[in-house]
Amino acid sequence: MPPAAESAALILIVDDEENNRALPASSAIALHHQPQEVGGEIVMRVEDSGNGFDFAAVEQQLRSPRDYHGRGIPLVRSLSQTLDHPGRGNCAEARYRWS
């Protein structure tokens, strides 16, 4: 796996843990690798049983570069082709492709 994909996976995991540290929730981490003739694709999904969050509101807050928190989401977005928050905001899924 390319280093950028490994970095994105670790950031997703750490960011999710930091956001939900106070919640007594269970978590699941899934990695799916799809090799291709040249390169491949990995899908990283982090999900917990917590209440989730309003991703649109968080995106607005992240527009300020002066903050010392919330840098994980923009970093994963820059390393991945897609970053989605399906469901009720308690899941993050990043897709990384390489050749």
Side-chain angles (χ1 to χ4, degrees):
M1 179 185 328
E6 290 177 6
S7 297
L10 290 174
I11 292 166
L12 274 173
I13 293 165
V14 170
D15 195 46
D16 186 62
E17 283 297 313
E18 288 177 0
N19 286 335
N20 297 302
R21 187 171 290 149
L23 299 174
S26 62
S27 297
I29 299 168
L31 297 174
H32 175 73
H33 175 249
Q34 180 65 43
Q36 297 175 2
E37 199 169 307
V38 176
E41 176 181 80
I42 189 162
V43 178
M44 298 158 279
R45 183 179 179 110
V46 178
E47 186 170 4
D48 66 37
S49 62
N51 294 330
F53 64 98
D54 181 353
F55 182 69
V58 171
E59 281 281 303
Q60 287 295 329
Q61 293 173 357
L62 294 178
R63 299 200 191 280
S64 171
R66 295 182 301 262
D67 291 338
Y68 293 107
H69 59 84
R71 293 174 291 206
I73 292 172
L75 186 55
V76 170
R77 186 178 304 287
S78 73
L79 293 171
S80 305
Q81 276 69 36
T82 63
L83 175 60
D84 298 310
H85 289 82
R88 62 181 195 269
N90 64 332
C91 178
E93 184 176 282
R95 188 173 303 265
Y96 181 83
R97 294 178 193 100
W98 68 93
S99 55

